[in-house]
Amino acid sequence: MGDVVQMHFSTVDYVIFALLLVASSGIGLFYAFSGGRQRTTQEFLLADRSMSCLPVSLSLLATFQSAVAILGAPSEIYTHGTQYWFLGCSYFLGLLIPAHVFIPVFYRLRLTSAYQYLELRFNKTVRICGTVTFIFQMVIYMGVVLYAPALALNAVTGFDLWGAVLAMGLVCTLYTTLGGLKAVIWTDVFQTIVMFAGQLAVIVVGAHQEGGIAEVWRKARNGSRIAGLDLNPDPLERHTFWTLGVGGVFLMLALYGVNQAQVQRYLSSRTEKEAVMSCYAVFPCQQIVLTLGCLMGLVMYARYGEESPLDKGYVKTNDQMVLYFVMDVLGQLPGLPGLFVACLFSGALSTISSAFNSLATVTMEDLIKPHFPQMKESRATLISKALALGYGLVCLAMAYIASLMGSVLQAALSIFGMVGGPLLGLFCLGMFFPWANSIGAVTGLVAGLLMAFWVGIGSFVGRVSASAPLPPLNVTVPNVTAVAMTTMGPVTLKPRPSGLQALYSLSYMWYSAHNSTTVVLVGLVVSLLTGPMNEKELTPGTVYPLLGNLLFFLPERFREKLCCIMPLEDKSKMIDRQPYQMAQKENNGVAHPKEEEKLGEGETSAGADEETISCPLTHMVQETAL
């Protein structure tokens, strides 16, 4: 096997890449010095709850579409065929459930951090456990998502590795720290357009060179790369319709339902309806993104057939194969390789900036503010900006650690994926099962994390010890779903595993479902053993009446005994009950226009000088500022 073939950028390519960074920084600076100038935590962390549907939906999409996915999906299609395309079936339920279950609950509670919900529903301990788990998940992932595309770019083009890492890390830190969530969302919009343009350019030029898309499809079909509907129910099979279409729903829920990076975008919307519509708008965009990734994989196959650049030794890993293909196809067209690299790094920037902002939010809201309830608004905003800056520097440090990891890089990606499922289970436990208590919640989360690491690490060690190639790992971010594709050899038939080996051989697409189910089951059993919660003890609006809706055919008295008919707070009555005192006002101390006339006589009508509005039931502080 020879050395990696190096290709080189033209000056135009470098200019286009630099323009991406300059434009992203410019958007951050614009929002730093315009509008409210990020003077309040409400504006810095939630864009003043003023965002409309379109930018929020494109930002949701950009967070999902990381650089690792842009590199990974085409390699997956090239190696294994189009079965992966059926992941698109999971998007429907994976976005419909968040739109009609999670968004109404979070939005009506007027939260800033998704983990405030856990304190409202359970107690402060559960909230801190959820927050710390999320921070661990995101910090591990940030360095990997920054370093992996830079490494692939360096290997194929000789593009300076640490120059790319530092440029991305510092630009991202700059616009996130200065411009807050508003800058993050609008740069995501810009970066999404660049991502679409970059992938489309590669597909159009590549297909044209191979004789058109019909010829590409013919070659892929002759090479058995066009997969039919595989209805094999075996959960150990890596990709079937069930693993992708059903297991994928849980991955999507972990991402779009309860991940802080995405929840924060819903909460930044002007109204609940706009938040729901943004979730709907992501659906067709997701299908387009998946289709572009799959088409690029087919064009790669049409170009190289069975003789992949990996087999010939032109590249060392699957991650580098897409970049090699791009340089091979677009190398004679100055500017287009730069456009694709801008597309690649747009994915990285959107993912990392979402991570910075969501980490700053949960650290501020869940770990700092509860201990300093009288903190002035100006100081809280300054600390939030310092946190975004601090996490930016942590990201660069994690990128350096990722460079030392070598093969452990895959373990870091696995850890990220392992944590998404248990967090989903924790929120589902609280939202759908009124009798679950805080002891059950903490025990369930710990059990889910232990199960996740047991299966994940057992699978990893089992494959390494057998000297078998690692399968792709589907990584779910909150902020982010990325598909990290690792080197795959030819598939060989093996006897079906049994016992523990069968558990370790579980398809990675079922990890999220398996781990979240563990949290729910353990949480319910422990709650029943330690004294289930009474419906009257629950904070109104924190439980979605799932069982009540599913068992609609039972008489009401039976449903009451099952403790499952407590309705979700009606939008028009959001402020009539105690916990919704948080919802009485926007953080600028002014009541919602539609809600203002409904304020009861006994409820606070805050003036502009009021520093805090406290909610007695939750001990949560809702900051106000002019």
Side-chain angles (χ1 to χ4, degrees), residues 321-507:
M321 206 154 73
V322 173
L323 272 168
Y324 176 85
F325 165 69
V326 168
M327 294 300 293
D328 188 16
V329 168
L330 304 180
Q332 306 307 313
L333 301 166
L336 286 183
L339 179 63
F340 183 80
V341 169
C343 150
L344 183 67
F345 281 80
S346 288
L349 286 170
S350 59
T351 304
I352 298 163
S353 60
S354 301
F356 290 170
N357 198 266
S358 56
L359 283 167
T361 303
V362 297
T363 307
M364 185 69 208
E365 295 293 326
D366 300 328
L367 301 182
I368 297 175
K369 203 174 272 188
H371 298 291
F372 301 97
Q374 304 303 320
M375 185 188 294
K376 287 187 177 178
E377 183 63 27
S378 55
R379 173 162 294 201
T381 308
L382 191 64
I383 292 173
S384 298
K385 290 181 178 181
L387 285 168
L389 176 63
Y391 279 119
L393 300 177
V394 168
C395 176
L396 289 170
M398 285 305 298
Y400 178 69
I401 292 169
S403 72
L404 304 176
M405 280 180 174
S407 62
V408 188
L409 196 67
Q410 297 307 324
L413 286 166
S414 310
I415 288 168
F416 180 86
M418 290 171 200
V419 175
L423 280 176
L424 171 65
L426 182 63
F427 278 92
C428 289
L429 183 68
M431 213 168 277
F432 304 141
F433 302 97
W435 54 88
N437 63 23
S438 54
I439 300 171
V442 173
T443 312
L445 178 62
V446 171
L449 288 169
L450 288 174
M451 178 63 79
F453 280 89
W454 179 29
V455 173
I457 293 171
S459 173
F460 183 81
V461 170
R463 285 193 176 87
V464 169
S465 61
S467 299
L470 290 168
L473 298 161
N474 196 300
V475 183
T476 347
V477 173
N479 9 43
V480 182
T481 294
V483 186
M485 304 300 172
T486 55
T487 307
M488 293 295 297
V491 178
T492 53
L493 291 174
K494 293 180 183 177
R496 183 182 165 83
S498 58
L500 273 181
Q501 203 54 49
L503 189 63
Y504 296 152
S505 303
L506 186 70
S507 168

Side-chain angles (χ1 to χ4, degrees), residues 64-266:
F64 169 91
Q65 181 70 349
S66 81
V68 192
I70 292 170
L71 290 175
S75 300
E76 161 68 19
I77 299 296
Y78 177 86
T79 311
H80 297 288
T82 57
Q83 191 68 40
Y84 182 73
W85 217 323
F86 289 106
L87 182 65
C89 299
S90 70
Y91 294 169
F92 183 70
L93 277 180
L95 291 166
L96 199 66
I97 294 171
H100 293 284
V101 176
F102 293 108
I103 291 177
V105 172
F106 291 143
Y107 200 90
R108 294 175 199 184
L109 287 170
R110 310 301 289 171
L111 308 176
T112 302
S113 156
Y115 303 98
Q116 289 173 344
Y117 167 83
L118 296 176
E119 183 177 355
L120 277 169
R121 174 62 181 85
F122 297 111
N123 61 19
K124 193 167 282 188
T125 305
V126 180
R127 175 181 178 178
I128 290 171
C129 287
T131 302
V132 170
T133 305
F134 172 76
I135 290 173
F136 170 73
Q137 177 191 34
M138 292 308 294
V139 166
I140 286 283
Y141 186 63
M142 279 196 305
V144 174
V145 88
L146 181 61
Y147 179 73
L151 180 65
L153 186 65
N154 169 259
V156 176
T157 68
F159 198 102
D160 186 71
L161 175 63
W162 289 105
V165 168
L166 286 170
M168 276 202 304
L170 294 175
V171 164
C172 219
T173 305
L174 174 76
Y175 74 74
T176 308
T177 305
L178 293 177
L181 184 63
K182 205 173 278 187
V184 170
I185 288 177
W186 281 110
T187 47
D188 281 353
V189 171
F190 166 67
Q191 287 156 6
T192 303
I193 294 166
V194 174
M195 278 192 270
F196 279 135
Q199 288 179 295
L200 206 55
V202 176
I203 292 165
V204 169
V205 176
H208 176 71
Q209 289 180 3
E210 296 308 313
I213 203 74
E215 180 64 13
V216 167
W217 191 265
R218 188 190 66 77
K219 288 182 178 177
R221 193 173 64 243
N222 292 345
S224 304
R225 287 301 187 274
I226 308 299
L229 194 64
D230 184 355
L231 295 174
N232 183 355
D234 186 358
L236 307 189
E237 283 294 320
R238 196 170 139 268
H239 283 171
T240 67
F241 173 76
W242 302 113
T243 58
L244 292 161
V246 181
V249 170
F250 289 87
L251 286 170
M252 294 294 291
L253 290 179
L255 175 69
Y256 281 99
V258 301
N259 189 281
Q260 171 63 24
Q262 309 294 53
V263 168
Q264 209 166 323
R265 281 155 177 70
Y266 302 143

